[in-house]
Amino acid sequence: MSSLAGKVAYVTGAARGQGRSHAVRMAQAGADIVAVDVCEQVAEFSGYPMAEPADLEETARLIESEGRKVLTRQVDVRDLAGQQAVVADTIETFGRLDVVVANAGVCNWGRIWEISAEQFQETVDVNLTGVWNTIKATVPAMIEAGNGGSIITVGSSASVKAPPGCGHYAAAKFGVVGLTKALAVELGEFGIRANCVLPYGTNTALGNDTSMYKLFEQYPTYVYSYPPNLLETDALVEPAEISEAVVWLADDASAVITGAQIPVDKGFLAR
Ligand SMILES: NC(=O)c1ccc[n+]([C@@H]2O[C@H](COP(=O)([O-])OP(=O)(O)OC[C@H]3O[C@@H](n4cnc5c(N)ncnc54)[C@H](O)[C@@H]3O)[C@@H](O)[C@H]2O)c1
């Protein structure tokens, strides 16, 4: 369980859900953690609330209970200077940065030509530009440290299969795959890997948001884009199950894997 001993991991959207699970799982594997989350109600178009400061405190408590150190910061991933300041604090506190999990994201629903410009922009700003901000803030420090490393971006099944009702979300998540593949090409010479995980239907506030059902009532044929998964479908995937893929990508067990997209989806994308 100490495959990440001596390493430092930076996780966005770490206050709850998948981000918290990744942070705690990597702490169990021996990493010290930098846990970043906005912890404010900044997602105007999402049908579920964002995390609260108490959620981030609970993530920190869980990491410390694993015997690891944690740095928490309330920063919006859309704030590049804010993320750069966290990275400066990371290097000052821990002296290195080895793993990045660009996980923060929002989801909301509507047909492509009916959503507002503001809804489109918010979704792309958080889910794609936010990931680019995380990369821009963290990569120079990783190169400078010269220890190699692993960057894991969080896409979605919607990164490769466009679902109806969230085309703007899919556009951003397709973009995350393109960004990650290009990053893998550019970072190979520095021994830094970049891979993307593609979750589907995960048991979090985002994954349990029921707003999509209203759209499906209006446009019943949309449901055909969501066939049964290959594996049993009576429950959503648990964040801890996504974390197993993330910790594998973070540590040296996956040392020869880069530029890949890993579905963690009970076979949804394979049908
Ligand atoms: N849950 C699913 O079914 C599912 C499926 C595929 C992909 N994903 C992706 O997984 C990732 C994690 O989502 P989750 O399921 O854990 O949902 P979640 O809503 O529980 O967690 C997302 C976290 O990100 C934070 N956040 C949102 N906007 C932010 C911003 N601008 N800056 C900083 N932090 C911000 C929220 O406060 C929250 O703590 C997202 O990128 C999401 O798109 C989720």
Side-chain angles (χ1 to χ4, degrees):
M1 290 293 270
S2 59
S3 58
L4 294 176
K7 301 212 166 153
V8 176
Y10 179 104
V11 185
T12 66
R16 69 171 190 209
Q18 295 179 59
R20 173 191 284 171
S21 175
H22 304 336
V24 173
R25 180 67 183 82
M26 290 194 291
Q28 285 167 355
D32 292 326
I33 305 294
V34 182
V36 175
D37 201 291
V38 67
C39 298
E40 260 185 66
Q41 301 315 310
V42 295
E44 188 183 339
F45 300 98
S46 293
Y48 59 95
M50 298 299 108
E52 301 281 350
D55 296 314
L56 190 56
E57 284 165 26
E58 175 61 8
T59 296
R61 191 191 68 74
L62 291 167
I63 291 163
E64 284 167 349
S65 73
E66 298 294 339
R68 301 316 320 162
K69 295 192 185 106
V70 60
L71 191 69
T72 58
R73 289 288 183 272
Q74 283 177 229
V75 174
D76 192 316
V77 291
R78 290 170 292 186
D79 174 5
L80 173 60
Q83 290 207 70
Q84 287 169 323
V86 181
V87 172
D89 289 351
T90 301
I91 299 303
E92 197 180 310
T93 308
F94 297 119
R96 62 189 293 154
L97 177 57
D98 304 277
V99 175
V100 173
V101 185
N103 162 80
V106 294
C107 189
N108 55 68
W109 296 86
R111 294 201 295 188
I112 291 166
W113 63 95
E114 289 171 342
I115 60 171
S116 64
E118 290 76 17
Q119 184 172 351
F120 181 84
Q121 198 65 53
E122 177 177 286
T123 308
V124 173
D125 282 352
V126 175
N127 292 356
L128 180 56
T129 310
V131 171
W132 178 78
N133 286 341
T134 300
I135 290 165
K136 181 161 173 70
T138 55
V139 163
M142 295 173 79
I143 292 176
E144 172 76 17
N147 299 314
S150 176
I151 296 173
I152 299 129
T153 57
V154 178
S156 164
S157 58
S159 287
V160 294
K161 179 178 177 182
C166 61
H168 51 312
Y169 178 84
K173 291 294 190 181
F174 268 64
V176 169
V177 168
L179 199 59
T180 310
K181 284 175 135 175
L183 188 65
V185 175
E186 294 181 3
L187 285 180
E189 66 179 292
F190 301 101
I192 301 172
R193 301 181 291 112
N195 295 288
C196 187
V197 291
L198 310 179
Y200 171 68
T202 306
N203 187 16
T204 66
L206 185 159
N208 284 299
D209 176 25
T210 53
S211 1
M212 68 187 275
Y213 299 134
K214 290 189 195 108
L215 208 70
F216 287 8
E217 274 168 26
Q218 272 180 292
Y219 312 108
T221 59
Y222 284 5
V223 80
Y224 297 125
S225 289
Y226 300 89
N229 300 331
L230 302 186
L231 301 178
E232 50 87 15
T233 55
D234 59 348
L236 296 172
V237 175
E238 286 302 322
E241 294 173 304
I242 313 285
S243 298
E244 290 307 315
V246 167
V247 76
W248 173 71
L249 287 171
D251 76 28
D252 288 344
S254 62
V256 295
I257 313 290
T258 194
Q261 301 83 55
I262 314 287
V264 191
D265 67 346
K266 297 189 177 183
F268 170 73
L269 287 173
R271 190 183 286 281

